[in-house]
Amino acid sequence: MSVEAPPRPATPMPPDGSSAGSRLGGLLLRWWRRLTAMRTAIILLFLLALAAVPGSLLPQRSLSQNNVRQYFADHPTLAPVLDDLYLFDVFSSPWFAAVYLLLFISLIGCVVPRALEHARALRTPPPPVPRNLLRLPDSGELRSPLGDAAALDVVEEELRVRRYRVVRRDGARGPELSAEKGHLKETGNLVFHLSLLALLLGLAGGKLWGYEGSILVTEGQGFCNAFQQYDTYSAGPLVDSGDLSALCVDLEQFRAEYEENLTAASFTADIRYGAPSAEGRATTIGVNDPLRVDGDRVYVTGHGFSPTFTVTVPDGTTFTDLTVPFLPSDPQMMASEGALKLPDIPGQEEQLALEGFFAPTGLVQGGLLTSVDPRPLAPQVAIFAYQGYLGLDSGLPQSVYSIDRSQIERGRLTEVGAANLAVGESLDLPDGTRITFSGVKEFAAMQFSHDPGQVWVLGSSITLLAGLLGMLLLRRERVFARAEPARDGGGTVLTLASLTRGGGESGSRFAILSDDLRDALDAPDAAPTAPEPEVPPRD
Amino acid sequence: MIDSSLAELSDNLFSVSVALYSVALLAFCAQLAFGRRSVRSRELAGVGGGPGAPTPPAGQEAPETAQGTRWGLLGMALTALGAVAHAGVLVTRGMATDRLPWGNMYEFATAVVLVAVVAYFVLAVRQPSLRHIGVFVLGPVILAMVGIGLFLYTEAGPLVAALRSSWLGIHVSSAILGSGIFLVSGIASALFLVRTRRTAGEPGSGGGLIDRLPSAAGLDRVAHRTAVFGFPIYTFAMIAGAIWAESAWGRFWGWDPKETWMFISWVVYAAYLHARTTAGWRGRPAAWINVVGFAVVLFNLLYVNMVSTGLHSYGGLD
Ligand code: HEM
């Protein structure tokens, strides 16, 4: 089982004139052996590490589409080339997959035979005593006045106390004893490597059957778990969008608390959740504390403000409670930007839109609004009002947080007013429309996640760690002894040797075993020839 | 909320520990300078020779003068004092802010260096020949401390909301422990590489500092043992981080830069452990892998926190 063990038998060479098929078979077998060799594993591990590097140095789509877009803008010639090489999607690229699949196969190829062999080894007795015991790294001779069988009895007793498995055999030169302990080390090794396989399978399962959706929810609003409702979502290829768990969440209240120096102390959301038509149960979730129901999780991943406007059009119709989330552009002071679009005002030709800047605690200097506190102590908005055609039905997707500049450039949309407003203040447009900043609510960025693989991943991580500890901290030891009658008359010469794998110095343990045996054998004149260990510590 | 006199004490202890380490460094230098007997060691390369290797010189150190031993002991004592002050930096900061003292990069990096110093100290107590590498441990330690003080210093302050979780204690503590131990392992492997380059040529020729290093086999063993000790801790740190990420960020693994680099260093150390047990790779190739691991851990500590932006950007350096 040792890595230094003799190489596996050489591939049998196909005899001359053999069929192409068997030659191909030989070739495949050779490749398979090469793939499952330790040194291949080392190289593949290195490749895996190397392959992950660009994924952290270049922006990744899976982390931030925006950063990738920015990179394209900054490096217009280089970016498309990198993109062709999947360098913005490293962790889902074919070459990354190739490396870990090869590693996966190599791992199977090395672990499965090992597991079978280990199962066999667990049932076979320790191997016979090697011919020349004194050649082993830890070895020595002891003399005893006892007879050979009695002397071996003492050795056996001493080893059984140390929880060795002991087998006695009759050798050509006298009775022999083989003892072994520490199969757990090998078991640990197998558990570790098998857990690694299980972990990868769990990971793959999560990728195939998992999904995730994000949505901004303003206080008083809610959402149900359906892809159409989410602002963005991603789903594994085997997710059936009809099969999503039926869960709805309403955000009742969101609270952000701050320390004196304005460090964010906690974010909590009071929510109500349940099946679509049910009354729902109330609970509070927050940072580090998601809602967990039946394999689904709901998180608060961020927050911000949704200013509320009231619009009264010239014919007297009033639209109240027009609430839109503004995206924080300064996470420290929560200054935010957003837009309100009113494409369908009954009885009005023109569409109306507001674009603006929100400050939870506003300070106007030189006509410019800034935010000086992330708490909504004195909310203000700076808005620009536009009338005309918004281009929403042009077929091109638009951001809901800004208006389409190209419509302004084309003269289809014109600015008709601008103002800094505190709560309750209004802006009157030339056509008589009145826009009032009526208040502010908080919104929570919420995320719904479903990952059926993650319990498997957790379970295999735990067994992985247990296996790792067993493999690294335990040791495997074999002790051999042979008793021969002393040449110069009475008594027995006992030759003793041990073989250890893993776990630090073996010399000191062997010396202690020899000392104990010498005492037990009552042979004070014999001295073991074991090399003295350089350092005393035992571990 | 923040006890400013304790915070100030913490900052002062930082300077005290750097000063003590510097004097300790001088003592270790003196040990190397005065400790050498005129008899050149005639050690053979003991590369890969295990503890029971039959060549007796492998594992034995050149004899040392009483004066050298005294300097070495002084260096050890000063290192211990420095480490006490160093621990004091973190303890007083924790008391000043009433939280675990690893909420930002200044605190985290300071703790990693402390682990490295303590790991080295424990090893050198158990194996006196390792006192000779004091210079090579304390040199980088002092450089790191000065760098941390100059570039990473952050005022004592409260934790941001995301870090207020018991996983901070579990994940970050184990990451600090693992990284600190790996740093010592990397230094041992680097010295092993220096040592074997020498001994591979003419044994004992040129003499000087390199002959005063512990034997190649000894260095290799220290490197391997520390890596074996650090690896499960680091693995645990990664698992704990994934569990925390699951409740904090909505997924247990997302290839955030910090996660990616932790994964890379984990894989490199797995490769090192494999190489150590693979014929044809043990010895210098394995040591090189360990040195690469060292570089990756450092890179993860510094670059990823300072330059890249990710979810782990709690460094307090903006
Ligand atoms: C792909 C094929 C692989 C093979 C053939 C393989 C084989 C082995 C063998 C034979 C050992 C025992 C070494 C010993 O105890 O002396 C071992 C140990 C180990 N393996 Fe693997 N392994 C493979 C993949 C992996 C992977 C992918 C990882 C982790 C990323 C890994 C991590 C480890 C670790 C940490 C050890 C402990 C080394 C030690 O005992 O010091 N292995 N492996």
Side-chain angles (χ1 to χ4, degrees), chain A residues 338-486:
Chain A
L340 170 68
K341 300 179 188 181
L342 298 173
D344 302 307
I345 303 174
Q348 284 251 339
E349 285 287 296
E350 304 263 84
Q351 297 178 331
L352 175 70
L354 303 177
E355 194 174 47
F357 179 85
F358 171 81
T361 301
L363 177 71
V364 180
Q365 280 174 315
L368 224 57
L369 177 63
T370 52
S371 178
V372 293
D373 196 306
R375 294 167 292 184
L377 303 178
Q380 284 201 50
V381 285
I383 53 166
F384 297 86
Y386 296 89
Q387 280 179 327
Y389 172 64
L390 287 167
L392 289 175
D393 47 5
S394 66
L396 294 174
Q398 272 196 19
S399 162
V400 294
Y401 303 105
S402 60
I403 58 168
D404 183 1
R405 297 272 141 206
S406 64
Q407 301 299 335
I408 301 175
E409 280 153 24
R410 280 189 217 134
R412 304 228 207 127
L413 199 59
T414 33
E415 186 185 324
V416 288
N420 290 334
L421 304 177
V423 175
E425 292 180 344
S426 309
L427 164 68
D428 289 318
L429 301 185
D431 72 346
T433 303
R434 163 171 284 213
I435 298 164
T436 310
F437 174 37
S438 49
V440 65
K441 293 178 180 171
E442 299 232 22
F443 74 75
M446 303 190 96
Q447 178 183 311
F448 190 101
S449 304
H450 176 77
D451 183 346
Q454 78 173 22
V455 275
W456 297 101
V457 172
L458 179 63
S460 30
S461 309
I462 292 170
T463 52
L464 180 145
L465 195 59
L468 185 62
L469 288 173
M471 143 167 87
L472 291 180
L473 303 183
L474 297 178
R475 46 181 119 62
R476 171 120 170 253
E477 284 172 296
R478 283 182 182 155
V479 175
F480 301 108
R482 174 181 295 132
E484 292 169 86

Side-chain angles (χ1 to χ4, degrees), chain B residues 102-145:
Chain B
W102 31 85
N104 54 51
M105 226 189 120
Y106 166 72
E107 296 164 0
F108 182 79
T110 305
V112 171
V113 176
L114 176 63
V115 169
V117 172
V118 172
Y120 165 70
F121 186 80
V122 170
L123 284 167
V125 165
R126 290 175 49 158
Q127 195 174 330
S129 67
L130 285 178
R131 277 180 224 153
H132 294 150
I133 71 168
V135 175
F136 303 97
V137 176
L138 283 188
V141 160
I142 293 165
L143 275 182
M145 290 292 273

Side-chain angles (χ1 to χ4, degrees), chain A residues 3 36-38 41 45 103 106-107 110 114 185 189 192-193 196 468 471-472 501, chain B residues 224 228 231 266 270 273-274 277:
Chain A
V3 193
T36 56
M38 265 288 261
L45 282 172
L103 198 58
S106 157
L107 200 51
C110 95
R114 263 183 90 140
K185 180 185 178 65
N189 183 308
F192 172 83
H193 288 91
L196 213 55
L468 185 62
M471 143 167 87
L472 291 180
R501 246 160 63 72
Chain B
H224 182 237
V228 161
F231 192 75
W266 188 77
L273 292 183
H274 276 135
T277 54

Side-chain angles (χ1 to χ4, degrees), chain A residues 3-4 38-39 42-43 45-46 48-49 52-53 55-57 63 67 91 96 137 192-193 196 203 212 259-261 263-267 287-290 292 297 299 301 332 447 449 451 454 457-458 461-462 464-465 468-469 472-473 504-506 531 534-535 537-539, chain B residues 1 51-52 59-61 126-129 157-165 221 225 228 231-232 235-236 239 243-244 246-252 254-257 260-261 263-264 266-268 270-271 273-275 277-282 289 292 299 303 308-309 318:
Chain A
V3 193
E4 300 132 79
M38 265 288 261
R39 66 185 55 223
I42 300 176
I43 291 167
L45 282 172
F46 240 112
L48 186 67
V53 170
S56 78
L57 299 183
L63 294 175
N67 291 354
F91 302 108
F96 193 74
F192 172 83
H193 288 91
L196 213 55
L203 217 59
E212 202 174 272
E259 300 286 351
E260 281 162 49
N261 71 349
T263 302
S266 79
F267 301 116
V287 177
N288 285 318
D289 184 19
R292 294 174 194 279
R297 290 114 55 207
Y299 297 86
T301 57
Q332 291 292 309
Q447 178 183 311
S449 304
D451 183 346
Q454 78 173 22
V457 172
L458 179 63
S461 309
I462 292 170
L464 180 145
L465 195 59
L468 185 62
L469 288 173
L472 291 180
L473 303 183
E505 282 88 11
S506 53
E534 164 208 358
V535 260
R538 298 209 285 147
D539 35 349
Chain B
M1 174 81 211
Q60 266 176 25
E61 315 308 334
R126 290 175 49 158
Q127 195 174 330
S129 67
L159 283 182
V160 299
L163 293 184
R164 298 188 183 191
S165 158
R221 196 160 56 230
R225 284 241 218 132
V228 161
F231 192 75
T235 308
F236 175 75
I239 295 171
I243 296 175
W244 188 6
E246 194 270 344
S247 59
W249 298 330
R251 81 288 181 291
F252 63 88
W255 298 109
D256 177 73
T260 306
W261 281 98
F263 171 77
I264 292 173
W266 188 77
V267 169
V268 171
L273 292 183
H274 276 135
T277 54
T278 306
W281 284 79
R282 65 169 71 87
I289 299 181
V292 170
F299 184 85
Y303 173 86
S308 76
T309 54
D318 27 33

Side-chain angles (χ1 to χ4, degrees), chain A residues 67-81:
Chain A
N67 291 354
V68 176
R69 238 173 272 133
Q70 188 59 43
Y71 194 88
F72 266 84
D74 294 345
H75 309 271
T77 44
L78 184 60
V81 179

